[in-house]
Amino acid sequence: MTGRSLTDHDVDLEAYALGLLDPEEAVVVAQHLEACALCRNELHRIEETLGWLGTAVRPVEPSPTLRNRVLVEADPGDRRRWRLAWAWGGLAAAALLLLGVLLLAVTRLERRLDEFASQQERIAAVLARADWSTVVQGEGAGFPPEVGRIYVDRGGRDGLLVLGGLERPEAGRVYQVWLLRADGSRVDAGVFLPDRAGSALLLIEAPDDWTRYRGMGITVEPGPQGSTEPTGQRVAGCSWDWSAWGRS
Amino acid sequence: MKGETTGPSDLELVARLRSRDRAALEALYDRYARRVYSLALSIVRDQQAAEDITQELFIHLWQFPHLYEPERGAFAPWLLRSARNRAIDILRRRSRDYQVGVRFDTMSALAQDDPDDLVLRADVAAGLRRALAELDSGLREVLELAYFSGLTQREIAERLGLPLGTVKTRVRTALRRLAEALAGDRES
């Protein structure tokens, strides 16, 4: 507890778990949870109650074909789509890849438009779902040792960067976030500029599940769109190790 | 009815998922798919979207069974909370046409021959329904909007014409009563 009463936190925790808070309120709760084991335990209790509430709906049978669809997609070994692409040969795979890139581009554009309309709600929702977070460390000259945290829902692709103490980059340049895959490749996760106070809230929609990544870095890149791969100095970042949760 | 399962426990099945045992996925699907689908459908009100959510959730469970951490609670509520999160996310992204008027079902879901209630710890589920039924209409209305609609607290307050503080208090009070009922059932 950091100077606020338990009663205050209980109010926030219920709404936080339901994803009902405004983003500013949700960030305050998330930051508090990092330091307060008591509230984390209370949050787990509330989350379990919310889970049981899911049993209090009228039962409806899904389509009989759904079971087969799930089991086919869960075929052991490589994923089904990769097996299909392999079977169809190089040409078909290339065509699929092109189609996939186009679809991804369209989907991301649509999502960004949607995000613009509902960003506030999404920030609160991402924080409510986040089940893991870690410190983002300052690495550039003049940066504080800790510049914020990244909050991640390991069961999904959404995350939230909460940053502070950032200097505004020189004119024409932006900060760019990169997600690091296990093979060392980097994936663009968006660009941003901090506000006058040096703070930034950035929703991240990872192309793949968070379990595919092992870290995050921030570089300074040419604005306004950033770069296709890192070209500037890395100024902040963090890494993590999912192996503790890895498949046997 | 104490909800004893007639087969391996959820924990055992999740452990077998980590060993890439497809039969374990089949067993978990058979136990919980209807629950997951029903909850998703009650939120998105779209059969195809609800099936997509169900499919994605079980595939994700298959690919990343380690995301369920037993020390944070039982498997069933974890899975159902994940289903709600996905459904609310889709609802919010899809449109502003929030689902209003969805109600918790406190009556029909506890048939004695309902096979998945046997594995859903029917005592806990029944206790929760009793507690829901005992909530006064004001508390329950706010809780239903908070759970199913995707509305924020401020939007709920505007929709119901209530002060924001009243909505916050009702959400808190309703969930506390349900949590106390669950805790009581566990102790009894």
Side-chain angles (χ1 to χ4, degrees):
Chain A
M1 297 296 186
T2 55
R4 301 179 65 185
S5 75
L6 178 62
T7 303
D8 286 342
H9 284 290
D10 282 351
V11 172
D12 288 338
L13 289 176
E14 273 100 12
Y16 177 83
L18 278 160
L20 303 179
L21 292 178
D22 292 332
E24 296 81 7
E25 297 171 306
V27 167
V28 169
V29 175
Q31 289 174 335
H32 174 78
L33 285 166
E34 293 296 332
C36 181
L38 185 65
C39 284
R40 283 200 300 276
N41 289 336
E42 177 63 13
L43 179 67
H44 294 166
R45 193 173 73 99
I46 295 168
E47 288 176 340
E48 186 163 19
T49 302
L50 292 177
W52 284 115
L53 263 179
T55 65
V57 299
R58 189 171 63 87
V60 181
E61 292 292 342
S63 158
T65 62
L66 180 59
R67 186 178 194 274
N68 193 48
R69 293 209 301 273
V70 169
L71 297 178
V72 166
E73 189 170 346
D75 201 278
D78 287 342
R79 288 182 178 182
R80 179 169 171 258
R81 62 176 180 269
W82 292 114
R83 290 195 296 111
L84 287 173
W86 181 260
W88 289 347
L91 184 60
L96 278 176
L97 185 61
L98 179 60
L99 180 62
V101 168
L102 289 171
L103 284 173
L104 184 62
V106 171
T107 302
R108 292 181 93 181
L109 179 60
E110 287 177 346
R111 284 180 176 173
R112 283 176 182 173
L113 289 171
D114 287 343
E115 279 174 13
F116 184 75
S118 61
Q119 188 180 36
Q120 293 241 318
E121 292 170 10
R122 288 199 58 213
I123 288 173
V126 168
L127 277 172
R129 283 203 303 267
D131 61 356
W132 186 86
S133 74
T134 193
V135 169
V136 179
Q137 297 174 323
E139 299 172 1
F143 281 73
E146 294 185 6
V147 295
R149 294 194 80 89
I150 182 169
Y151 296 86
V152 169
D153 166 21
R154 287 175 297 144
R157 300 179 180 183
D158 290 336
L160 180 70
L161 258 180
V162 181
L163 300 169
L166 300 178
E167 293 182 3
R168 203 169 175 85
E170 61 186 66
R173 292 190 167 266
V174 293
Y175 288 118
Q176 188 163 4
V177 181
W178 306 94
L179 302 181
L180 278 60
R181 292 185 191 275
D183 64 4
S185 61
R186 269 78 169 163
V187 179
D188 173 20
V191 298
F192 69 96
L193 286 172
D195 62 19
R196 291 175 185 273
S199 302
L201 272 179
L202 184 69
L203 277 167
I204 297 176
E205 186 172 335
D208 292 304
D209 298 323
W210 280 101
T211 42
R212 305 287 187 196
Y213 302 97
R214 63 173 178 79
M216 184 275 299
I218 299 174
T219 60
V220 177
E221 301 292 339
Q225 294 183 328
S227 306
T228 55
E229 58 185 34
T231 63
Q233 181 198 359
R234 177 167 151 144
V235 296
C238 57
S239 61
W240 52 79
D241 181 5
W242 298 124
S243 61
W245 294 278
R247 295 175 190 160
S248 57
Chain B
M1 186 160 62
K2 276 298 184 186
E4 295 300 324
T5 61
T6 56
S9 69
D10 292 343
L11 273 179
E12 290 169 329
L13 291 173
V14 174
R16 283 166 51 189
L17 286 185
R18 298 184 187 205
S19 307
R20 319 308 297 147
D21 180 348
R22 214 165 82 119
L25 179 67
E26 292 185 47
L28 285 170
Y29 180 92
D30 291 340
R31 282 184 186 181
Y32 292 112
R34 186 172 66 145
R35 290 292 184 191
V36 168
Y37 173 75
S38 300
L39 176 56
L41 183 64
S42 71
I43 292 171
V44 297
R45 313 295 285 179
D46 176 325
Q47 292 181 4
Q48 186 58 55
E51 288 200 357
D52 289 346
I53 290 166
T54 306
Q55 181 170 350
E56 289 169 8
L57 187 55
F58 278 97
I59 292 302
H60 204 81
L61 177 66
W62 169 251
Q63 292 172 337
F64 305 107
H66 47 281
L67 293 181
Y68 167 60
E69 298 172 68
E71 62 272 19
R72 291 185 61 167
F75 176 76
W78 174 82
L79 187 71
L80 292 172
R81 197 168 59 82
S82 298
R84 177 191 177 264
N85 287 342
R86 285 172 183 258
I88 290 288
D89 201 30
I90 285 178
L91 192 64
R92 285 176 168 164
R93 288 186 189 191
R94 177 181 283 181
S95 75
R96 302 291 298 181
D97 183 21
Y98 293 109
Q99 306 303 323
V100 177
V102 182
R103 298 282 179 262
F104 288 115
D105 184 348
T106 60
M107 302 297 292
S108 67
L110 272 185
Q112 291 292 319
D113 59 350
D114 189 352
D116 60 2
D117 272 324
L118 292 175
V119 291
L120 269 173
R121 290 182 55 189
D123 51 339
V124 176
L128 185 99
R129 283 182 178 79
R130 279 196 302 276
L132 268 174
E134 289 168 2
L135 289 180
D136 69 48
S137 58
L139 292 180
R140 190 160 152 176
E141 181 181 37
V142 168
L143 183 61
E144 284 167 339
L145 277 174
Y147 194 81
F148 291 114
S149 73
L151 294 169
T152 66
Q153 286 189 130
R154 291 183 198 283
E155 290 166 329
I156 293 171
E158 288 171 10
R159 185 174 291 271
L160 298 180
L162 294 171
L164 178 60
T166 302
V167 169
K168 290 182 176 184
T169 301
R170 289 186 182 181
V171 168
R172 172 191 171 202
T173 303
L175 276 179
R176 280 189 167 183
R177 288 189 187 169
L178 298 181
E180 287 165 5
L182 289 180
D185 282 332
R186 288 194 188 96
E187 289 166 6
S188 61

